Amino acid sequence: MLNFLLYQGLPDGLVQLPVPLTIRIGRLRYAVPQTLEEFTKTICYGQRIFLTQNEETEFGTIIRVIDGYYYSIVTKKKWDSDKALLFGKKVLTCTVNELYPVAMHLTNLIGEMTDREQQLLHREPSKMELAAGIEKLNVFSELTSLDFLRDAMKITVPEVLLTPYNECLVRFMIAKETTDYQNRYFELAKEEGKSKSKYMK
């Protein structure tokens, strides 16, 4: 695989390969998640962070997504980002005709996951928030998310990282709906206050 990616370039044929139902890692074969639902119910929040971190090369991306998804499945151990990187040695023994399409498929699922998060959790900042410079907080979004989950679930950050991804997503969705409700209530109360004020005059 190193020869394909680093020296000869990736053959066009690899792009056309179908996604296999299983991939061989070491001596055993492991199921490839076929849907976003199957993918997200398998990972924890620490894996979500690991899987969405950028790599400078296509080879690095392939190793990261395979490590990130299969580390706990293959080793039967709790998620550990440092050990997952070392797990990459096992990934190097995979055949390129399986590894490449599976990695690209997982990359697509990760893209679907982040798109869904954007759809479910994004809200446009208010004019006041923009004026105050809320965009400067974007660089701290990962840390802010961890702190929120820690406080919401009353557990430590290491425990947050091991919490199932779907549970964390629900926590974020509840927080967004609560904030949206509070904002709507505030606006309605403000309008009602204006109406009463006009009526009294």
Side-chain angles (χ1 to χ4, degrees):
M1 178 171 180
L2 282 169
N3 288 338
F4 275 127
L5 292 174
L6 300 180
Y7 302 109
Q8 298 173 9
L10 194 62
D12 293 337
L14 284 178
V15 179
Q16 306 300 325
L17 288 173
V19 179
L21 295 176
T22 63
I23 182 172
R24 185 183 184 90
I25 302 176
R27 296 181 179 180
L28 300 175
R29 302 196 70 83
Y30 300 91
V32 176
Q34 299 301 304
T35 64
L36 178 60
E37 288 69 29
E38 188 180 344
F39 174 76
T40 56
K41 77 176 184 181
T42 309
I43 65 172
C44 63
Y45 195 70
Q47 286 171 281
R48 184 258 181 241
I49 293 174
F50 184 90
L51 288 164
T52 54
Q53 290 174 339
N54 290 328
E55 287 286 345
E56 294 182 359
T57 65
E58 186 175 38
F59 180 70
T61 299
I62 289 171
I63 298 300
R64 176 171 289 276
V65 298
I66 298 293
D67 282 1
Y69 183 75
Y70 284 102
Y71 168 76
S72 294
I73 293 173
V74 174
T75 64
K76 305 287 192 288
K77 295 178 180 177
K78 291 181 179 180
W79 172 251
D80 184 310
S81 59
D82 293 330
K83 291 180 180 178
L85 291 172
L86 297 175
F87 176 74
K89 294 177 182 178
K90 285 196 174 186
V91 175
L92 292 175
T93 65
C94 297
T95 58
V96 70
N97 63 308
E98 287 188 349
L99 190 61
Y100 186 81
V102 171
M104 293 304 101
H105 176 62
L106 291 177
T107 300
N108 289 336
L109 291 178
I110 293 165
E112 287 181 34
M113 176 182 69
T114 55
D115 287 347
R116 184 178 68 173
E117 290 173 359
Q118 178 78 1
Q119 181 181 359
L120 293 174
L121 304 176
H122 178 73
R123 71 172 182 84
E124 290 297 328
S126 67
K127 291 180 180 179
M128 190 176 294
E129 288 173 329
L130 289 172
I134 192 172
E135 71 279 355
K136 293 180 181 178
L137 296 176
N138 289 339
V139 294
F140 306 110
S141 60
E142 186 177 296
L143 183 58
T144 303
S145 297
L146 285 172
D147 287 347
F148 164 77
L149 291 170
R150 178 199 63 199
D151 296 342
M153 295 188 285
K154 296 179 174 54
I155 58 177
T156 64
V157 169
E159 289 172 322
V160 168
L161 294 173
L162 296 177
T163 302
Y165 166 81
N166 285 338
E167 182 179 338
C168 295
L169 180 62
V170 169
R171 295 278 182 175
F172 287 129
M173 290 170 64
I174 292 171
K176 180 182 182 296
E177 289 301 321
T178 301
T179 301
D180 288 349
Y181 164 76
Q182 290 171 340
N183 289 339
R184 289 193 301 269
Y185 184 86
F186 175 75
E187 289 300 322
L188 289 171
K190 189 166 67 172
E191 289 301 317
E192 185 178 348
K194 287 180 181 177
S195 298
K196 286 182 178 178
S197 178
K198 288 180 182 178
Y199 178 77
M200 292 182 70
K201 288 179 181 179

